[in-house]
Amino acid sequence: MLEKLKTVEMKNVSWFGQLLLFLFRHFVDPRIRDHIEGDLLEQYFHLRSSGKKSRAERRLIVDIFSLLRPSLIRRISFKKSLPHNVNAMMKNNLKIAFRNLKWNTVSSIINIGGLTVGIAVALLIGFWVYDETRFNTFHANYARIGRVLLKGTDSRDGPFISSSLPFPLATELQSGYDSVFKHIVRSSWTQDYILTAGEKKLSRKGNFIDPDGPEMLSLKMLKGSRAGLSDLHSIMLSESSARALFAEADPRGRTVTINNKTAVKVTGVYEDLPLNTEFNYIQFFSPWDLWVRENDWILERAATNWMNHFLRIYCELKPGVSFHTADGTIADAEIKHIKGLENYAEQTARNPKVFIHPMKDWHLSPIDRKAITDPKPMRMLRIVTITGLFVLLLACINFMNLSTARSEKRAKEVGIRKTIGSRRSQLIAQFFAESFIVVILSFMLACLLAVITLPMFNGLTGKNIIVPWSNIYFWFSCTGFIVITGLIAGSYPAFYLSSFRPIKVLKGTFRVGRFAAVPRKMLVVLQFTFSIALIICTLVIYRQLQHAKSRPVGYDREGLIMVDMRSEDFEGKYQLFRSEFFKTGVVAGVSESRGMATEVVSGNSGFGWKGKDPDNMESFGTLPVTHEHGQTIGWQFVGGRDFSAANISDSFGVVINEAAAHFMELKNPVGEIITWKNQDQLYTYTILGVIRDAVMESPYKPVEPTLFFIKALNGGVSCLNIRVKPGIALSKALPAIEEAFKKVVPAVPFEYKFADEEYAMKFAAEEYVANLATFSGLLAVFISCLGLFGLASYIAEQRTKEIGIRKVLGASVFNVWRLLSKEFVMPVFISFLIAAPVAYYFMAGWLQDYQYRTNLSWWIFIAAGSGALTITLLTVSFQSVKAALANPVKSLRTE
Amino acid sequence: MKKFQLGEFEEVVLLVIGILQGEAYGFAIKLEIEKRLSRTVSMGALHTALLRLEEKGYAKSFAGEQTMERAGRPRRYFEITALGKKAWEYTRASREELWKALPGNLWNVGKA
């Protein structure tokens, strides 16, 4: 009744007065506040009832402010109003949290272990993604550097992009576009050169560039300055090259000979470019002008010729100029010169436009020759990111599931705590403390794990990643992660459990709802969907890889050594090589060819044959070889014969592959005539033999029609092939071959490649994806099973009594096992139903990229599904069998 | 000799508590002072003084009934203690003493 009176009268106070009274109640000592407030109200209504309404308001205001004085404000009892000691409570929370971890050893290990693995993987993947996106950012002016390219449309081949540019284009860009460019740097292609300093000989990759280059690339100079290329006969070495040539001595001023021909002086040493830059494989720079000087044909034929595409141009824009503006300015740099010129009608028709490909797109959005931006690197980045996030999510789901499952057991604890006088806020704090401790602990362990496995991870990914300890964003995201996971995982027990009415819980009438387990089951389904999808992807990728690897290659790769003949020292030494090599007794065959056996390096058109469709535009791989090549490589003839040195007319013979025969639609190709037209001259060749298709290029694509010549019109051989006798160990054969090699060409270092290794490289990208899929698939399965194991043990424990009673009533071990396992089979089955179509969709898309591909057979899906089910049952059975075997007497006596 | 500490306003309040005889609670004391001395008293000053008197032991208080006119808030009644009475006497005696010591002519000047 009093309550009612109070409210009625309080209502009569003006809103401002009420606000002030609220203020008053909040600040003034609770022990004296009630009767003072009474006085205030009595005065207020006293004045109001005597008609002094505004005076009542004024007095109230004045009095309340007069009361807010130090002597009255919560003076005496400030400490007593908070009945608990904050520090002690925190300490208690931590203590209880650690005790809980200790008592539930299994679930703690699963919780912390799973989360640790998940975070560690996410960290590693995060580092990888960060490294990818930071590609090339070593260069100080990274955002303004670009590569000049030409794009146009060919009437036959459609759109094209050319990164080889004509000499006069560089001249044009250097002269008329000062408003746009800060630097224009011409460069040769990167090639291997032999560098000689005294007795030391090394093969190093290098570029000839304009003197602005080192400045544009902001090379870190260890010795000398960035202006080191201004002298014509100069060379700037990378740190590793300098060390290899001169050891610790200062190389400045020393002489280095390039390809045993050109003597240059070392003017500088720069720090090796880091692995995550485009130019990291370049080991020396020399002046562009030197290259022009060394190659007479440039000034003779190419300097004003817009048809001869052979150089690269890099540029740095002026600050404030956008790539878009620059593209607009330079677009017509070529076409305005060639338009109307004689002989340039065809080139003009292609409408060549000059543009700049910014450095920031080089790595993740490269453009290929068909002017198509390759989506693969970007897609890869995205897939990896998503995979990482999912693995992390799986670990978090485990954590959440286990902590919610565990927490239901703690309903009684909550009841007792509340009865004793725990406030809700204290319980919330306690549950949060527990979840945060687990997250922080796992995070620290994960950091440790990531640091330990980083070298291995670097080896696997071919990167050189270091942990960005000093990066503030790293810490931001880590803290953010800890807070979010801790909050999400802790919120269920913290808010739901702490709301329990103690009397219900303690009486035992409280039941966790029948549907409390539903969110948990949904999370399990999510986990297994991802795991099964990953298993399917892994299987498909491996099958595709196996499919391509087991493709008949058409030549023998074992024991085949290939040497790149890159200096003039090799000229005219073929017969000498042959005799020296055969003398060693370990060599079965020697030959020379254009390019390696694992590549088709040149192609031409302009061929004619009987019955050729004139509209049919052909392009054949054209490879010059020596007579003994087929024998050395191991060609398999399906018709005709190999070249024979005894037969002089074979010089104008040609060996073709099946793809070429098929392309030419010749029924009996052997003996047919092929003509090759070059600069109005017609040459005639006779087909000697047809060989089985050899996979020289991509193992995923159809074999290119290829012609092998003794005398081709497109130059000579470039690769020395040596076949080691079968049965002789390479370790024994190589020193003997090297000795023979040194006898013939002492000036050249013996550097060789193995055909089988080169061939295996073709699978590198796919193996990378396969490794990633396996790795994340295994992890996903592992983490999901860890979670299941924890849930199973929880459920078995919860139903101890039920199982005991069932056994007493005559249930068999099998019955109990089935009862407990059933709960987990269903989610896994649902996961399979979701995962299979999703995986099918993605894998079908992935396989589209390969012309030579495996099919998506149904058994892959069945295998993945039943695999997942088996693993689930094994995981769950450990717990359920244990529960089923337990002595019912014991289990009924628990508690 | 400072035997009894009693400020001027505290003295007034203590006197009024005595005047009101068992009916002395916050608002009543305030009204009484305002009526008799025609000076405005702020709630803050009054309650601080009451608190001080209680702390010094000159007055004691007890909770009273809750009434409708106070929106259910209780009254707190104050009454004077024996010590309070002593302080009263002491203050009064020391004042008298001082009055007596005052020279007569000055008194007359003041009167005129």
Side-chain angles (χ1 to χ4, degrees):
Chain A
M1 189 185 143
L2 276 172
E3 286 287 311
K4 203 177 165 192
L5 268 177
K6 178 174 152 187
T7 47
V8 166
E9 292 233 356
M10 276 300 279
K11 266 186 190 165
N12 296 337
V13 182
S14 68
W15 67 267
F16 189 66
Q18 284 194 26
L19 184 79
L20 284 172
L21 281 170
F22 174 79
L23 204 71
F24 164 82
R25 288 190 68 81
H26 191 76
F27 281 109
V28 174
D29 196 307
R31 292 182 312 167
I32 54 170
R33 119 188 122 194
D34 279 0
H35 73 264
I36 298 181
E37 192 185 20
D39 285 341
L40 286 171
L41 287 170
E42 192 176 339
Q43 172 181 261
Y44 181 77
F45 288 111
H46 174 80
L47 288 171
R48 275 203 14 176
S49 59
S50 51
K52 298 165 187 161
K53 206 173 167 187
S54 60
R55 180 134 188 262
E57 295 292 337
R58 243 179 303 128
R59 270 295 351 139
L60 189 68
I61 296 168
V62 172
D63 279 334
I64 286 178
F65 278 104
S66 77
L67 282 161
L68 297 178
R69 56 175 69 194
S71 53
L72 300 178
I73 291 175
R74 291 191 184 265
R75 175 179 62 141
I76 319 146
S77 53
F78 189 66
K79 271 183 196 152
K80 287 176 197 159
S81 72
L82 280 172
H84 46 269
N85 182 328
V86 178
N87 284 337
M89 193 185 76
M90 290 293 280
K91 245 155 91 187
N92 176 58
N93 280 347
L94 290 182
K95 192 179 268 176
I96 298 283
F98 276 116
R99 277 183 190 163
N100 263 314
L101 283 182
K102 220 160 76 184
W103 288 337
N104 305 311
T105 327
V106 176
S107 76
S108 306
I109 290 175
I110 290 173
N111 245 343
I112 296 177
L115 203 57
T116 302
V117 173
I119 299 174
V121 170
L123 277 177
L124 288 179
I125 286 182
F127 295 156
W128 185 85
V129 170
Y130 182 72
D131 190 75
E132 282 285 288
T133 55
R134 300 285 299 165
F135 210 83
N136 278 336
T137 48
F138 165 84
H139 306 294
N141 299 319
Y142 152 82
R144 297 205 307 273
I145 298 176
R147 163 160 62 203
V148 177
L149 299 176
L150 264 178
K151 75 177 157 203
T153 313
D154 192 272
S155 56
R156 275 203 318 260
D157 299 337
F160 69 91
I161 292 273
S162 172
S163 54
S164 328
L165 305 167
F167 195 99
L169 177 62
T171 318
E172 163 74 14
L173 291 178
Q174 273 174 329
S175 58
Y177 300 90
D178 283 351
S179 61
V180 178
F181 296 118
K182 191 172 168 200
H183 299 295
I184 285 280
V185 175
R186 291 168 294 182
S187 169
S188 66
W189 294 91
T190 307
Q191 272 183 333
D192 283 303
Y193 296 90
I194 301 164
L195 298 187
T196 320
E199 291 299 300
K200 285 261 176 65
K201 280 182 205 308
L202 289 173
S203 164
R204 295 273 129 168
K205 286 186 194 307
N207 274 30
F208 289 82
I209 56 167
D210 274 322
D212 280 359
E215 182 64 40
M216 183 184 83
L217 298 177
S218 55
L219 296 181
K220 283 207 178 106
M221 299 307 299
L222 299 172
K223 297 201 171 86
S225 76
R226 285 180 188 164
L229 297 183
S230 45
D231 185 26
L232 182 62
H233 288 281
S234 57
I235 187 168
M236 281 165 72
L237 297 172
S238 73
E239 191 187 358
S240 55
S241 310
R243 183 158 294 152
L245 283 170
F246 300 104
E248 296 305 317
D250 187 346
R252 271 181 296 176
R254 305 276 288 269
T255 304
V256 171
T257 316
I258 302 175
N259 278 0
N260 300 324
K261 203 171 113 198
T262 318
V264 289
K265 205 177 267 179
V266 180
T267 52
V269 177
Y270 61 91
E271 196 184 294
D272 284 13
L273 286 165
L275 258 181
N276 64 345
T277 56
E278 191 86 4
F279 297 115
N280 79 78
Y281 53 84
I282 297 180
Q283 292 152 318
F284 74 87
F285 289 106
S286 260
W288 164 257
D289 288 334
L290 180 63
W291 199 60
V292 175
R293 167 82 70 90
E294 292 293 307
N295 294 278
D296 301 333
W297 56 271
I298 297 177
L299 286 181
E300 281 166 20
R301 297 199 301 270
T304 54
N305 185 343
W306 287 90
M307 274 188 206
N308 201 340
H309 293 65
F310 68 100
L311 63 94
R312 288 177 172 190
I313 304 174
Y314 299 101
C315 65
E316 183 186 329
L317 301 183
K318 281 229 162 97
V321 179
S322 74
F323 283 103
H324 187 73
T325 333
D327 285 350
T329 326
I330 62 171
D332 295 330
E334 171 163 332
I335 202 161
K336 77 178 182 195
H337 283 276
I338 62 170
K339 202 187 249 171
L341 278 184
E342 217 180 324
N343 298 332
Y344 282 95
E346 200 184 336
Q347 200 167 331
T348 312
R350 287 190 207 145
N351 192 20
K353 295 280 182 200
V354 184
F355 74 104
I356 302 165
H357 191 217
M359 190 180 234
K360 61 177 197 293
D361 293 340
W362 289 2
H363 184 62
L364 289 175
S365 311
I367 309 184
D368 70 0
R369 276 172 11 208
K370 291 278 172 201
I372 297 163
T373 303
D374 186 359
K376 271 190 202 145
M378 210 59 172
R379 202 192 292 156
M380 181 81 183
L381 188 74
R382 253 181 239 138
I383 291 175
V384 170
T385 311
I386 291 171
T387 313
L389 287 179
F390 259 100
V391 170
L392 188 59
L393 181 70
L394 294 194
C396 289
I397 287 178
N398 264 359
F399 180 42
M400 271 145 59
N401 270 356
L402 284 182
S403 50
T404 54
R406 279 275 139 206
S407 60
E408 275 168 22
K409 260 187 78 179
R410 297 176 63 182
K412 276 204 176 130
E413 181 191 330
V414 171
I416 289 175
R417 276 177 187 280
K418 278 199 162 181
T419 316
I420 290 171
S422 202
R423 289 190 189 176
R424 201 176 161 196
S425 61
Q426 287 171 308
L427 287 171
I428 291 176
Q430 190 205 320
F431 283 121
F432 271 132
E434 278 173 34
S435 83
F436 270 94
I437 279 177
V438 173
V439 177
I440 291 171
L441 218 61
S442 322
F443 181 77
M444 292 193 299
L445 286 174
C447 280
L448 199 70
L449 191 64
V451 169
I452 292 170
T453 51
L454 196 56
M456 217 177 71
F457 184 73
N458 277 338
L460 194 75
T461 55
K463 282 189 177 290
N464 187 17
I465 298 169
I466 42 168
V467 182
W469 296 120
S470 57
N471 189 324
I472 189 148
Y473 294 105
F474 170 70
W475 290 110
F476 268 138
S477 41
C478 290
T479 317
F481 169 77
I482 291 177
V483 170
I484 290 171
T485 318
L487 281 181
I488 292 178
S491 54
Y492 173 82
F495 292 110
Y496 179 59
L497 292 183
S498 66
S499 71
F500 288 163
R501 298 234 165 245
I503 199 155
K504 272 192 180 171
V505 178
L506 293 178
K507 255 191 198 163
T509 52
F510 164 81
R511 301 218 40 88
V512 177
R514 202 153 57 90
F515 297 106
V518 169
R520 212 150 49 222
K521 277 192 178 147
M522 270 160 57
L523 289 178
V524 171
V525 167
L526 184 65
Q527 277 185 321
F528 271 83
T529 304
F530 188 68
S531 304
I532 293 173
L534 268 180
I535 296 176
I536 295 174
C537 293
T538 311
L539 286 176
V540 172
I541 294 169
Y542 263 105
R543 244 173 75 86
Q544 166 67 6
L545 207 54
Q546 269 338 103
H547 184 64
K549 276 185 177 170
S550 59
R551 183 175 177 182
V553 177
Y555 54 92
D556 191 7
R557 288 158 294 161
E558 295 298 317
L560 184 60
I561 299 167
M562 306 179 295
V563 178
D564 190 9
M565 305 192 289
R566 73 181 92 90
S567 77
E568 289 161 8
D569 301 75
F570 288 91
E571 263 166 46
K573 301 270 174 71
Y574 180 51
Q575 292 308 328
L576 197 54
F577 269 126
R578 282 181 63 80
S579 59
E580 285 296 330
F581 284 147
F582 282 124
K583 263 192 234 165
T584 62
V586 296
V587 172
V590 179
S591 73
E592 287 180 351
S593 59
R594 161 71 61 90
M596 296 188 289
T598 50
E599 57 188 7
V600 177
V601 291
S602 59
N604 287 86
S605 54
F607 292 94
W609 60 89
K610 195 176 78 187
K612 183 194 174 191
D613 180 353
D615 294 334
N616 205 342
M617 284 312 303
E618 83 287 346
S619 173
F620 290 114
T622 47
L623 300 176
V625 295
T626 54
H627 290 87
E628 298 79 8
H629 188 63
Q631 205 192 331
T632 310
I633 294 291
W635 276 346
Q636 296 159 5
F637 281 85
V638 293
R641 60 174 180 88
D642 197 356
F643 296 114
S644 164
N647 220 333
I648 296 165
S649 68
D650 279 4
S651 297
F652 279 93
V654 58
V655 170
I656 67 173
N657 66 3
E658 278 181 304
H662 183 76
F663 184 83
M664 291 192 251
E665 295 175 327
L666 294 171
K667 281 217 182 77
N668 288 308
V670 179
E672 293 286 347
I673 302 293
I674 295 178
T675 58
W676 188 356
K677 191 181 163 193
N678 192 341
Q679 302 195 325
D680 299 329
Q681 280 261 47
L682 205 63
Y683 298 84
T684 316
Y685 295 89
T686 313
I687 298 176
L688 296 178
V690 181
I691 57 163
R692 179 154 290 147
D693 281 342
V695 183
M696 299 173 77
E697 293 275 90
S698 165
Y700 306 108
K701 286 187 182 144
V703 170
E704 204 178 327
T706 310
L707 315 176
F708 298 89
F709 300 91
I710 296 294
K711 280 191 178 166
L713 304 181
N714 58 341
V717 291
S718 66
C719 178
L720 179 65
N721 305 294
I722 306 153
R723 162 81 60 197
V724 175
K725 267 187 192 161
I728 291 181
L730 279 172
S731 55
K732 218 181 114 200
L734 278 171
I737 294 172
E738 178 166 9
E739 203 179 313
F741 184 88
K742 288 275 184 228
K743 257 187 226 166
V744 184
V745 277
V748 182
F750 179 55
E751 283 181 355
Y752 50 84
K753 285 170 175 162
F754 294 113
D756 46 358
E757 279 179 8
E758 289 300 307
Y759 191 78
M761 293 269 282
K762 297 178 189 297
F763 299 98
E766 278 66 30
E767 270 174 348
Y768 199 90
V769 177
N771 283 342
L772 182 81
T774 318
F775 176 66
S776 42
L778 283 180
L779 265 176
V781 172
F782 170 74
I783 291 174
S784 310
C785 284
L786 213 57
L788 269 195
F789 186 80
L791 280 184
S793 75
Y794 157 73
I795 285 184
E797 199 180 320
Q798 208 185 27
R799 295 170 78 169
T800 312
K801 282 216 170 128
E802 181 195 330
I803 293 166
I805 292 168
R806 279 177 191 274
K807 284 195 82 176
V808 169
L809 294 177
S812 67
V813 172
F814 176 73
N815 281 341
V816 177
W817 173 79
R818 203 180 51 185
L819 179 83
L820 289 176
S821 303
K822 205 174 62 189
E823 285 211 37
F824 294 98
V825 171
M826 206 54 194
V828 174
F829 188 67
I830 296 171
S831 314
F832 174 72
L833 290 185
I834 302 171
V838 173
Y840 180 85
Y841 174 78
F842 280 109
M843 281 296 105
W846 183 76
L847 281 176
Q848 283 301 316
D849 288 347
Y850 302 97
Q851 278 165 295
Y852 185 80
R853 60 172 178 253
T854 176
N855 54 341
L856 278 171
S857 17
W858 57 270
W859 69 260
I860 293 177
F861 295 88
I862 301 300
S866 45
L869 202 63
T870 315
I871 294 173
T872 309
L873 282 179
L874 283 178
T875 313
V876 175
S877 294
F878 179 80
Q879 291 295 342
S880 52
V881 169
K882 201 171 92 183
L885 289 176
N887 187 348
V889 176
K890 265 190 188 163
S891 51
L892 286 177
R893 245 202 231 145
T894 51
E895 285 183 23
Chain B
M1 192 192 93
K2 278 190 166 182
K3 227 174 159 188
F4 296 96
Q5 274 272 357
L6 200 61
E8 187 267 344
F9 187 63
E10 283 170 18
E11 192 189 340
V12 172
V13 173
L14 198 60
L15 281 167
V16 174
I17 292 174
I19 293 166
L20 288 173
Q21 276 198 19
E23 285 298 316
Y25 67 94
F27 181 54
I29 298 169
K30 188 179 175 238
L31 270 185
E32 195 67 27
I33 297 173
E34 282 174 356
K35 194 175 81 191
R36 287 181 186 269
L37 302 179
S38 50
R39 64 190 256 192
T40 353
V41 178
S42 81
M43 281 285 185
L46 176 66
H47 281 286
T48 316
L50 287 171
L51 216 63
R52 296 281 293 149
L53 286 173
E54 228 184 329
E55 271 172 19
K56 287 176 182 166
Y58 302 151
K60 60 181 182 187
S61 66
F62 53 91
E65 78 286 12
Q66 298 166 320
T67 60
M68 258 175 66
E69 64 225 276
R70 291 166 69 89
R73 269 49 159 190
R75 280 186 182 136
R76 188 153 204 98
Y77 291 101
F78 289 84
E79 60 183 27
I80 205 154
T81 60
L83 190 68
K85 277 179 186 151
K86 270 189 190 153
W88 227 357
E89 310 258 293
Y90 170 79
T91 322
R92 190 174 172 174
S94 51
R95 291 283 158 88
E96 301 268 286
E97 204 124 314
L98 289 173
W99 277 113
K100 273 179 205 156
L102 217 55
N105 56 347
L106 195 71
W107 176 247
N108 292 332
V109 172
K111 242 183 168 179

